[in-house]
Amino acid sequence: MGAEREPGPPPAVPWKKVLYEQQPFPDNYVDRRFLEELRKNMYVRHYRYWSVVYESGLVAQQLSCVCIFVLLWGHMDQGLLSPHWLIAAGLVGSLVGYALYDLVDWGRGRARCGRSRWADLKSTAIFLAFTYGFSPVLKTLTEAVSTDTVYAMASLMLLAHLLFFEYGAPPDVVSSGFSLNVAIFASVCLASRLPGPLHAFATVTCAIQVFALWPTLLRRLKASAPCGYVAGVALVCMAGVAGTLSVSAVGGVLLALLLLSVSLLCPLLLTRLQLYKDNIHGPWDEAEIKEDLSRFLQ
Amino acid sequence: MVLKIFFPQCCNAADSGLLIGRWLPGHNSAVVLAVIHFPFIPGQVKQYLNQLQSLTQVDLTVLGSWCKPSEDQERVQSFLKDLSTIFPHERWLQLSSEKGKKRFSCLVNSRGSKVFESGDKEDKGDQVICIHYDQCKVMLSQLHPAQGGILNPQTELSELRLVFQTVSQSQALFYIDKYDEGPFKLTHWQSEGREGSILVELSKQASVPVCLVLAWLLSIWYWVCKSRILNLWPMRFVSSKLSSCIQLSHRAEHLQTISVPRKAEDHTEFMRKANIFVSFLVDVALGLLLVSWLYRENRIGQLAETLVPVADHIAEELQELLKWLMGAPAGLKMNRALDQVLGRFFLYHIHLWISYIHLLSPFIGMILWYVGLSACLGLTFALSVLSDIVALLTFHIYCFYVYGARLYCLKIYGLSSLWRLFRGKKWNVLRQRVDSCSYDLDQLFIGTLLFTILLFLLPTTALYYLVFTLLRLLVVLFQGLLHLCVDFINSFPLFAMGLRICRSYRLAAGVKFRVLEQESERPLHLLMEINPLTYSAVLQWYRTLTYSCYPKDSWGALCKKLFIGELIYPWKHKNIKTD
């Protein structure tokens, strides 16, 4: 603040903060009242620890969702898991989830968005038909591309999925469509490495269930039944850790630590560090138009 | 003020008499056209000038007098001075050549003011420059505007242009021969005589009936062209794509221009007709030469015998290429399944093509024999027919190219729109921009699935497209070269070029001056020489406009078309044809 006060005696005319009058002061002159308008931490939000933990559960469960998907694919790749089993389990899971989706708010959400069961059935048919029809193509799609390239591409895509997933941030920052597309792209890449068309089909359907249907159900649970949401998050996290532990102990431990730090440590840090926040506001801030201007924009 | 007198070189040795010429309006200069010798009757001179004026539309006047060195020069000069009172004038020039001096001196006599000697610098600073010109050359030459102008008589004319115009318009003055009987004798440029021009006269007489016959034949041709069978859709489409048909219509147009049985109105039209006529003659002569070469020693049969094996060989090479593409060409990562499908598809096509060629092979000799006769219509027509034959023989390459390009184009368009879907955006047609959009789950899923598949199949399609495009470009290049040759013969201004080489003064770009004599107290004598038009300017002025002179795709547009997989053709598109 270039407040240059003249050392000489103050002039008789009082200083006014206007530019449209000729005043006997230099252009950058301010008087003693300048700092009176200083405000501190005007827009700081005070978080409560457990609510932050509650919200961050979404991040943790998405992380472990990715782990679960990769684990399932790995098991299929090594022949430990038969695609029939995966398809059957997915089918059962989907049916249960579908029932839960409607039961949790007694059909109010469905009535609000006006989506009929017939549309759901049509979507399901499209998913299944396209995936099944394209699965032989998917199987030979990346034959000539080297395995390392495919793995690198898939991991990059899954990382992008995690970055752009809609955790609750404003929609202009993230894009749920993009994150879902990236995840499907990764699943197609991975599916093309599997030995048979049915494997590819199972992988892609599993990807849809994990990356598209499960987050929708979880969002509904979060809105209507918080207990169910907490249970779902905990279940997925534990399943992820358990699955990783069954493959490699170090990986499991690391994943558990990661999940714990995301859902417990990071919220703690957030609430603690909030105390050290020191924002100043004053007349030097940029002008902010508070009035609603939408009536001018026809 | 500087007074410029344009004086014809041939009048330097003329007997004493009156100078006939023109004061250029708006410029302080005079053009001398001829000298009327003694003896004459002033009334007859006036009458004669009036006659000439109405004939040539040039306001000819008596400019002054001309005096030749002789024994009684003093007497003659005083007589000439008296003459000035007879003819109405503003200024009276008195040119007199003196003994012992090569060049004449000049006196300018303004009405009502004193006589003053030229070169007298203290005296008003009025200087005289005598510019000698070759009357014949100036009369015959056509002065061209310097940069990009048009030969338009209505525009404001410069002094030099006025001089050229005056001399060329008063041609009627120069037709009077030295030996003609008349009321008086004139000195000016004389033609060398008309003995040799009997052929020209005969051809002039013959040209009118020939033109009429040509016009009649052309009307029959146009009537045939307009008949309904030829205007059905497939015929019209095919004929608009065959370069021989296009060439035929060009020739018909040219003949129509020539066959107008009246005299060319201006220089441009005359040159256009002459250019077309000469290039037509040369074209036909070259075509006849070609025919005589082709039909001697059964060359056409040999050609037909080699044609089929060459076509076979090309097909075999294509098969090899396809087999190479179906493997792992250049170590590229191709999708094996798609590669096999495309390769087999194209191989089957080549197989069809070979069987077609073999079906045709017994008749090829005969077809070529008859088609070869068409070279009588001109070399350009023969070249066009060759271009068409090449197009027909490489039809399989064209087919491959079209398949490849369509497939590639489809993929590029699909990928570009699916890439927007992949990012969760869409193209807003109303605002012409990319907007964000929320898609349904099934839309996203199917879009992404297709996007992934197209993305991984793109290299295979692109490779096939690239190879076949290169082949196609090769064919198009060859055809383009042929078209260029045809176009060159069609549009090259042979007559103008011949004129430029043999009679370089006929096409003038400007003039240059050379100092003949420079002495104080005497007028400055300059020699005006004609600067001939440069060859590039001759080309620019007189080339006959043909279709290739119109703008085609730029290189950038061509590359863009190649990149997005639009089809390219050697012929021009319809939208270009309309404007």
Side-chain angles (χ1 to χ4, degrees):
Chain A
M1 305 304 112
E4 292 177 13
R5 296 198 173 84
E6 298 294 320
V13 196
W15 176 75
K16 280 198 282 182
K17 204 174 92 175
V18 289
L19 285 173
Y20 51 83
E21 270 178 25
Q22 194 75 37
Q23 299 186 77
F25 301 101
D27 281 350
N28 55 356
Y29 178 82
V30 285
D31 68 356
R32 280 169 201 290
R33 287 172 296 165
F34 182 68
L35 284 181
E36 285 175 11
E37 291 177 50
L38 178 73
R39 301 275 179 279
K40 274 188 162 187
N41 294 343
M42 276 170 78
Y43 304 115
V44 169
R45 294 167 63 181
H46 296 282
Y47 299 110
R48 275 174 301 135
Y49 177 68
W50 285 109
S51 69
V52 179
V53 170
Y54 179 76
E55 293 291 333
S56 69
L58 206 56
V59 184
Q61 72 84 27
Q62 201 60 34
L63 270 171
S64 73
C65 267
V66 170
C67 285
I68 289 170
F69 174 70
V70 174
L71 279 173
L72 286 177
W73 171 80
H75 280 304
M76 261 202 297
D77 196 25
Q78 287 164 0
L80 299 176
L81 179 66
S82 124
H84 301 92
W85 273 106
L86 185 61
I87 293 168
L91 193 67
V92 170
S94 297
L95 284 176
V96 168
Y98 187 69
L100 209 61
Y101 184 77
D102 272 347
L103 283 177
V104 79
D105 60 349
W106 305 105
R108 276 194 301 274
R110 178 176 291 279
R112 201 166 50 246
C113 67
R115 191 175 161 84
S116 64
R117 286 184 198 284
W118 172 242
D120 287 343
L121 195 64
K122 221 160 56 176
S123 289
T124 316
I126 288 174
F127 280 139
L128 292 179
F130 267 83
T131 319
Y132 194 74
F134 276 118
S135 54
V137 179
L138 297 185
K139 206 237 133 208
T140 59
L141 199 58
T142 59
E143 250 178 7
V145 184
S146 82
T147 311
D148 289 343
T149 317
V150 171
Y151 287 172
M153 206 149 49
S155 33
L156 264 182
M157 293 287 164
L158 286 175
L159 204 65
H161 165 74
L162 283 177
L163 282 179
F164 286 97
F165 188 77
E166 198 177 353
Y167 297 110
D172 50 340
V173 180
V174 297
S175 158
S176 65
F178 180 68
S179 75
L180 176 62
N181 286 336
V182 163
I184 292 174
F185 189 92
S187 76
V188 170
C189 286
L190 289 179
S192 65
R193 290 284 112 183
L194 290 177
L198 199 64
H199 291 77
F201 175 69
T203 311
V204 176
T205 33
C206 174
I208 295 167
Q209 282 152 5
V210 170
F211 295 119
L213 299 181
W214 169 245
T216 321
L217 177 64
L218 206 63
R219 221 165 281 137
R220 173 64 62 86
L221 281 175
K222 194 179 159 197
S224 306
C227 302
Y229 163 73
V230 173
V233 167
L235 195 72
V236 168
C237 288
M238 280 192 291
V241 172
T244 319
L245 274 176
S246 71
V247 177
S248 97
V250 181
V253 169
L254 280 179
L255 181 69
L257 283 179
L258 181 69
L259 294 183
L260 282 178
S261 70
V262 162
S263 58
L264 296 177
L265 191 62
C266 290
L268 189 71
L269 282 177
L270 180 73
T271 45
R272 278 297 153 81
L273 295 178
Q274 205 72 357
L275 298 177
Y276 300 105
K277 203 155 187 173
D278 193 15
N279 275 6
I280 53 171
H281 299 271
W284 51 83
D285 279 357
E286 285 170 26
E288 212 175 311
I289 301 167
K290 293 270 171 54
E291 200 181 353
D292 183 21
L293 293 177
S294 59
R295 63 201 162 93
F296 295 114
L297 310 167
Q298 282 297 326
Chain B
M1 287 290 277
V2 179
L3 177 66
K4 278 168 263 176
I5 303 170
F6 290 88
F7 193 80
Q9 276 179 318
C10 49
C11 292
N12 264 328
D15 289 333
S16 304
L18 285 178
L19 298 171
I20 295 178
R22 180 191 184 195
W23 288 101
L24 297 182
H27 301 281
N28 196 18
S29 47
V31 183
V32 178
L33 293 173
V35 179
I36 297 189
H37 302 166
F38 297 119
F40 52 79
I41 303 162
Q44 274 183 340
V45 172
K46 281 184 189 169
Q47 201 185 350
Y48 175 65
L49 284 182
N50 278 335
Q51 269 178 16
L52 272 180
Q53 208 161 327
S54 60
L55 197 69
T56 61
Q57 307 296 325
V58 179
D59 46 347
L60 293 173
T61 50
V62 176
L63 298 174
S65 61
W66 166 253
C67 182
K68 211 196 166 194
S70 58
E71 287 75 40
D72 48 354
Q73 202 168 8
E74 293 297 315
R75 200 172 56 78
V76 171
Q77 258 177 354
S78 65
F79 169 67
L80 288 173
K81 208 173 278 180
D82 295 339
L83 265 180
S84 69
T85 55
I86 298 173
F87 295 99
H89 62 271
E90 284 288 323
R91 277 180 288 186
W92 187 261
L93 300 174
Q94 260 181 288
L95 308 183
S96 54
S97 56
E98 291 156 29
K99 269 205 173 144
K101 302 238 177 185
K102 270 169 83 181
R103 307 289 163 193
F104 53 82
S105 63
C106 179
L107 273 168
V108 182
N109 199 347
S110 288
R111 162 176 282 186
S113 70
K114 55 174 182 167
V115 181
F116 60 90
E117 189 93 24
S118 66
D120 209 356
K121 278 175 189 153
E122 289 83 47
D123 193 324
K124 282 168 76 183
D126 201 348
Q127 264 189 310
V128 175
I129 300 176
C130 297
I131 299 166
H132 297 260
Y133 68 92
D134 190 326
Q135 206 162 29
C136 165
K137 287 185 180 176
V138 171
M139 183 183 82
L140 290 175
S141 80
Q142 172 72 35
L143 194 63
H144 290 79
Q147 286 286 324
I150 41 167
L151 294 170
N152 190 357
Q154 265 79 45
T155 49
E156 185 72 22
L157 296 173
S158 69
E159 188 178 3
L160 200 64
R161 205 163 290 282
L162 271 175
V163 172
F164 273 74
Q165 203 186 29
T166 307
V167 178
S168 65
Q169 277 184 356
S170 37
Q171 272 189 18
L173 181 68
F174 308 131
Y175 284 145
I176 301 166
D177 209 79
K178 210 164 16 180
Y179 310 104
D180 282 351
E181 286 297 320
F184 34 73
K185 297 282 184 199
L186 283 162
T187 297
H188 50 71
W189 164 74
Q190 302 276 339
S191 69
E192 299 292 324
R194 293 183 179 169
E195 296 88 8
S197 60
I198 196 158
L199 278 175
V200 178
E201 289 300 316
L202 269 179
S203 61
K204 267 185 193 169
Q205 294 299 320
S207 69
V208 174
V210 167
C211 281
L212 284 176
V213 168
L214 255 180
W216 183 70
L217 286 176
L218 274 175
S219 67
I220 290 180
W221 165 251
Y222 277 116
W223 181 76
V224 170
C225 284
K226 270 187 202 139
S227 67
R228 186 163 295 178
I229 301 170
L230 290 181
N231 268 337
L232 285 177
W233 180 80
M235 285 302 283
R236 213 171 36 193
F237 179 77
V238 167
S239 66
S240 72
K241 302 301 180 233
L242 283 181
S243 53
S244 51
C245 290
I246 294 172
Q247 177 60 21
L248 212 59
S249 72
H250 267 289
R251 275 289 172 235
E253 236 171 75
H254 288 167
L255 283 177
Q256 204 178 23
T257 317
I258 299 174
S259 69
V260 179
R262 62 188 154 72
K263 201 165 181 291
E265 270 165 8
D266 57 353
H267 175 78
T268 323
E269 197 187 333
F270 167 72
M271 291 300 280
R272 191 174 138 71
K273 276 185 167 185
N275 280 331
I276 290 175
F277 184 65
V278 172
S279 69
F280 179 70
L281 279 188
V282 169
D283 186 21
V284 170
L286 287 176
L288 286 175
L289 263 178
L290 184 71
V291 167
S292 70
W293 182 80
L294 269 183
Y295 285 81
R296 207 176 298 155
E297 301 169 16
N298 193 25
R299 283 207 178 86
I300 204 136
Q302 291 166 11
L303 199 69
E305 275 165 25
T306 51
L307 203 61
V308 176
V310 164
D312 265 348
H313 183 69
I314 290 175
E316 271 168 29
E317 289 289 320
L318 275 177
Q319 267 176 340
E320 288 294 311
L321 180 71
L322 279 173
K323 275 176 190 153
W324 178 67
L325 282 179
M326 281 165 74
L332 287 172
K333 311 252 164 120
M334 314 257 285
N335 189 283
R336 195 178 46 80
L338 183 67
D339 205 22
Q340 293 289 327
V341 168
L342 285 177
R344 282 196 194 137
F345 175 68
F346 287 127
L347 278 179
Y348 178 65
H349 226 83
I350 290 181
H351 172 72
L352 277 185
W353 179 252
I354 290 177
S355 44
Y356 166 64
I357 289 273
H358 281 260
L359 208 69
L360 207 66
S361 56
F363 310 105
I364 278 187
M366 208 168 61
I367 293 172
L368 271 186
W369 200 88
Y370 285 114
V371 165
L373 283 179
S374 70
C376 294
L377 290 176
L379 182 65
T380 51
F381 192 74
L383 286 179
S384 304
V385 167
L386 178 64
S387 157
D388 286 342
I389 289 177
V390 167
L392 283 179
L393 282 184
T394 56
F395 193 67
H396 48 332
I397 291 179
Y398 175 69
C399 283
F400 292 167
Y401 167 69
V402 171
Y403 298 146
R406 288 278 181 240
L407 210 62
Y408 178 75
C409 185
L410 201 78
K411 289 222 159 151
I412 288 284
Y413 274 114
L415 271 179
S416 67
S417 62
L418 286 176
W419 169 240
R420 284 196 286 272
L421 179 135
F422 191 77
R423 290 178 303 153
K425 304 272 169 74
K426 71 164 182 184
W427 176 251
N428 189 338
V429 259
L430 291 179
R431 299 195 174 181
Q432 294 286 306
R433 64 172 192 198
V434 175
D435 280 348
S436 60
C437 169
S438 67
Y439 289 98
D440 284 344
L441 209 60
D442 42 358
Q443 284 172 332
L444 283 179
F445 171 70
I446 293 169
T448 310
L449 202 66
L450 287 179
F451 176 77
T452 317
I453 291 171
L454 286 185
L455 189 70
F456 280 109
L457 294 187
L458 182 69
T460 314
T461 330
L463 186 72
Y464 272 86
Y465 172 66
L466 181 76
V467 170
F468 291 132
T469 304
L470 287 181
L471 282 178
R472 173 74 183 151
L473 280 181
L474 214 66
V475 175
V476 167
L477 202 71
F478 181 69
Q479 276 186 302
L481 275 179
L482 286 182
H483 285 196
L484 218 63
C485 284
V486 170
D487 209 59
F488 178 75
I489 298 176
N490 273 343
S491 69
F492 190 72
L494 263 176
F495 180 74
M497 274 295 168
L499 214 58
R500 169 67 185 81
I501 290 166
C502 301
R503 299 261 188 285
S504 57
Y505 56 84
R506 289 290 294 270
L507 306 173
V511 294
K512 59 186 174 214
F513 296 101
R514 200 150 56 79
V515 177
L516 284 179
E517 188 187 71
Q518 191 174 22
E519 273 179 51
S520 58
E521 308 289 315
R522 284 173 64 77
L524 175 67
H525 284 268
L526 297 176
L527 179 68
M528 184 167 87
E529 285 167 352
I530 289 175
N531 260 344
L533 216 57
T534 55
Y535 287 100
S536 58
V538 170
L539 262 185
Q540 202 187 338
W541 274 105
Y542 293 110
R543 63 181 299 191
T544 320
L545 285 184
T546 51
Y547 56 96
S548 77
C549 300
Y550 302 124
K552 275 189 181 174
D553 289 346
S554 66
W555 289 105
L558 185 73
C559 287
K560 196 184 160 210
K561 267 188 175 179
L562 283 180
F563 181 72
I564 63 171
E566 264 186 59
L567 297 182
I568 51 165
Y569 293 105
W571 59 77
K572 57 185 177 153
H573 282 273
K574 262 185 188 145
N575 51 0
I576 298 168
K577 200 187 261 174
T578 49
D579 52 41

